[in-house]
Amino acid sequence: MATEGANGVEINGASAEKKAVVFTAVKPQLFVESSKASDAVAFYKAAFGAEELNRVSHPKRKADQELPLLLSAEIKLGSTSILISDLSDDSTAPVKTASSGLVFCLETEDVEAAVDMAVKAGAVADGEISEGEGTCCGGRVGKVKDPYGIVWVICTPAKKFANVEA
Amino acid sequence: MATEGANGVEINGASAEKKAVVFTAVKPQLFVESSKASDAVAFYKAAFGAEELNRVSHPKRKADQELPLLLSAEIKLGSTSILISDLSDDSTAPVKTASSGLVFCLETEDVEAAVDMAVKAGAVADGEISEGEGTCCGGRVGKVKDPYGIVWVICTPAKKFANVEA
């Protein structure tokens, strides 16, 4: 795989001028413990008002199990698509990743309402809503953890980065 | 936090009609081992042609350390913003999350070129490029793991989900 570029792509540091690779979509895909993906989709609808765009179940699993293995459900949150999938042995899903950490930042004008909605849907508030100091927004910031272990930072984009130097 | 909604939001299952919470942006934020965030940003520029939109360093750290703690750098990949941050004790960053797994799906018409670019920048190809069977795309699929532990699935969106039932 690490051979000469079949398409003549040559990268030198940050420049990729020679042949631009264009990404038409970037979609985070979250794997949750099987078979909780369907529950997770329902949760994200209730907690964040996500819209389900499509859902693909594993065709072979349907005959064997009552709960079909969810290969992926695509939900839309704001203008972003997020894929939710059951983690399984026979899929192309990765093993548990050991990444240092991930949160999703949700920008909204009404942090209180958003946190409230998420908590009523089953998320757990992590601390009080406060004036943030920068990690992803500079305005009001609330934080919730969902039942699947994902942390969502809910914040206002106003005055972002006003208190730190660029 | 789990009190009556200050804004009168009432959620019942998946319906959130009463007061819509609008998310104006959804940004995944990746925390990498401190102080590798700056390297990670350079890598994502080289590997995926990401564009750096802004960068916020910790103001107090600048005097103490040569490498400033990167509170967050926002990079644009396709039309998606991703935040890259150094994981630190004194920030609002979460501790290491124990999520089941996360990958990023990148859709592009030229999987070979994209994988090649990423590998040349330092990512490790995970298997051969092949015709996918569905997890995030139904077309050609390649997979790379970046130096920071994140798995990127690079695929063509063509014929997506053609081989599985909805």
Side-chain angles (χ1 to χ4, degrees):
Chain A
M1 201 68 88
T3 56
E4 282 295 310
N7 297 282
V9 180
E10 284 177 24
I11 303 305
N12 182 6
S15 98
E17 307 302 297
K18 198 166 182 181
K19 181 177 193 313
V21 171
V22 176
F23 293 110
T24 50
V26 178
K27 298 174 186 173
Q29 182 175 23
L30 299 175
F31 290 90
V32 303
E33 188 187 334
S34 193
S35 308
K36 291 187 175 172
S38 191
D39 291 345
V41 170
F43 170 80
Y44 294 129
K45 288 180 185 174
F48 304 126
E51 176 193 356
E52 182 173 335
L53 299 180
N54 59 60
R55 173 181 291 240
V56 184
S57 299
H58 195 299
K60 292 178 190 164
R61 282 297 177 97
K62 285 200 168 177
D64 304 326
Q65 300 190 324
E66 283 200 33
L67 278 176
L69 187 81
L70 194 54
L71 278 181
S72 101
E74 183 167 355
I75 61 172
K76 194 168 186 181
L77 195 48
S79 59
T80 299
S81 281
I82 298 176
L83 305 170
I84 314 292
S85 300
D86 276 323
L87 190 64
S88 68
D89 298 332
D90 64 342
S91 74
T92 55
V95 290
K96 298 193 178 209
T97 56
S99 71
S100 295
L102 163 85
V103 302
F104 281 96
C105 291
L106 299 176
E107 294 183 0
T108 181
E109 290 302 317
D110 194 340
V111 172
E112 279 77 5
V115 168
D116 206 59
M117 184 163 91
V119 167
K120 283 189 172 169
V124 176
D126 181 358
E128 298 294 315
I129 295 170
S130 60
E131 294 300 317
E133 282 190 12
T135 315
C136 75
C137 302
R140 288 182 70 69
V141 179
K143 199 153 69 169
V144 299
K145 187 169 186 177
D146 76 24
Y148 310 96
I150 308 292
V151 173
W152 301 77
V153 175
I154 298 170
C155 57
T156 48
K159 295 181 184 172
K160 76 194 289 188
F161 308 135
N163 61 334
V164 280
E165 54 197 281
Chain B
M1 200 68 87
T3 56
E4 282 295 308
N7 296 281
V9 180
E10 285 177 23
I11 302 305
N12 183 4
S15 99
E17 306 302 297
K18 198 166 181 180
K19 182 176 192 316
V21 171
V22 176
F23 293 110
T24 50
V26 178
K27 298 174 186 172
Q29 182 175 23
L30 299 175
F31 290 90
V32 303
E33 187 188 335
S34 193
S35 309
K36 292 187 176 173
S38 191
D39 291 345
V41 170
F43 170 81
Y44 293 129
K45 288 180 184 174
F48 303 127
E51 177 192 356
E52 183 172 335
L53 299 181
N54 59 60
R55 172 181 292 241
V56 184
S57 299
H58 195 299
K60 292 177 188 164
R61 283 294 178 98
K62 285 200 167 177
D64 304 325
Q65 300 190 324
E66 284 201 32
L67 279 176
L69 187 80
L70 194 54
L71 277 181
S72 100
E74 183 167 356
I75 60 172
K76 194 169 186 182
L77 195 47
S79 58
T80 299
S81 280
I82 299 176
L83 305 170
I84 314 292
S85 300
D86 276 323
L87 190 65
S88 69
D89 298 331
D90 64 342
S91 74
T92 54
V95 291
K96 298 195 179 206
T97 56
S99 71
S100 296
L102 163 84
V103 304
F104 281 97
C105 291
L106 299 175
E107 293 183 0
T108 182
E109 290 301 317
D110 194 341
V111 172
E112 278 77 6
V115 168
D116 205 60
M117 186 163 90
V119 167
K120 283 188 172 168
V124 176
D126 181 357
E128 297 294 315
I129 294 171
S130 61
E131 294 298 318
E133 283 191 10
T135 315
C136 77
C137 301
R140 289 182 69 71
V141 178
K143 201 154 67 170
V144 300
K145 188 169 186 175
D146 76 24
Y148 311 95
I150 309 292
V151 173
W152 301 78
V153 175
I154 298 170
C155 56
T156 47
K159 295 182 185 174
K160 76 194 290 187
F161 307 135
N163 59 336
V164 280
E165 54 198 281

